[in-house]
Amino acid sequence: MTSVTQPPFAKAHLDVIHVPVSDPRVRPLLRELGQEYSARYGKDAHAEIARYPDEEFTPPYGGLLLLLLEHGEPVAGGAFRRYDATTAELKRIWTHSAHRRRGLARRVVAELEREAGARGYRRIHLTTGPRQPEARGLYLAAGYTPLFDTEADPETVGPLPFEKQLPAEARAARTGRRPTCEPPSSTTASTSAAPSRRAPRSPRPSGPSSTS
């Protein structure tokens, strides 16, 4: 899904924008993720793509979705959602198929980490599928700690979990800003934003993850 064989951060000018899932520019991300998940896991992946309500990737619910634009066109993107009070979960890390091997996924991850830290999160959690070695390599290269036996056959593990503690300087960037990692206080909002910690037994994509 992604590649880390080239140095991170493309030299071309890229604009970073924050958008809702409903933005038309997000469609290429979701379409290609669905196609690749289906190809790698042998089933329709649209249910996985739609697993979380769209609002979980919006600031009022402690989430965010961003795109990298080059000449106004989306070339990469990703998101995070509230996992718990101090943890953001990366999801839907994606690079357009025509723009891979440029370090764009690494740039997306770095931007998401910065935004998560600015919103008061202290830790990043994510899972990726056992048939996504590029994503696994990306997270290892970006300093994530694998929470599984890296010597084991990934197919016997299922979703591969990773975590990363955000540095204090990333969290310091939120000075003077109102914390935004807590979801709205209504009962409905709290229910929809509650983290789901149970790992599925069968291999499935994260999104990389992206989440995920």
Side-chain angles (χ1 to χ4, degrees):
M1 306 275 299
T2 54
S3 175
V4 293
T5 57
Q6 296 295 320
F9 304 92
K11 294 181 179 179
H13 175 72
L14 298 169
D15 294 311
V16 181
I17 62 170
H18 302 168
V19 295
V21 175
S22 59
D23 191 294
R25 290 168 293 187
V26 179
R27 291 173 187 167
L29 182 159
L30 298 179
R31 182 174 61 250
E32 284 205 339
L33 280 177
Q35 291 170 348
E36 291 214 25
Y37 288 170
S38 297
R40 296 193 185 208
Y41 295 92
K43 58 183 179 180
D44 184 5
H46 290 91
E48 168 63 21
I49 295 294
R51 183 180 180 188
Y52 301 102
D54 292 354
E55 61 263 25
E56 290 199 17
F57 301 103
T58 63
Y61 285 78
L64 182 75
L65 190 154
L66 63 79
L67 295 175
L68 300 187
L69 302 184
E70 186 174 55
H71 307 302
E73 296 296 323
V75 294
F80 64 76
R81 60 185 289 273
R82 183 182 185 270
Y83 187 73
D84 61 34
T86 60
T87 308
E89 180 181 19
L90 295 195
K91 305 294 291 184
R92 313 294 181 252
I93 311 301
W94 163 86
T95 301
H96 192 288
S97 56
H99 295 275
R100 292 175 183 172
R101 305 178 69 85
R102 295 176 55 191
L104 297 178
R106 182 75 173 267
R107 169 71 182 273
V108 168
V109 170
E111 291 286 347
L112 291 171
E113 290 175 356
R114 184 178 64 81
E115 292 291 345
R119 285 161 171 75
Y121 289 114
R122 301 176 184 175
R123 172 178 172 265
I124 299 290
H125 167 81
L126 64 90
T127 59
T128 191
R131 301 175 190 174
Q132 295 166 249
E134 306 95 326
R136 171 175 166 161
L138 167 67
Y139 299 129
L140 290 173
Y144 282 77
T145 300
L147 304 178
F148 59 93
D149 181 358
T150 57
E151 300 299 318
D153 178 356
E155 293 285 348
T156 67
V157 178
L160 309 178
F162 291 83
E163 71 171 4
K164 184 176 184 179
Q165 300 295 324
L166 293 176
E169 54 267 28
R171 302 196 302 274
R174 64 182 286 266
T175 301
R177 296 178 57 176
R178 179 177 176 271
T180 56
C181 60
E182 290 293 333
S185 58
S186 69
T187 302
T188 301
S190 298
T191 300
S192 64
S196 175
R197 292 174 174 270
R198 181 179 297 175
R201 295 181 181 276
S202 59
R204 66 189 303 171
S206 74
S209 228
S210 16
T211 219
S212 175

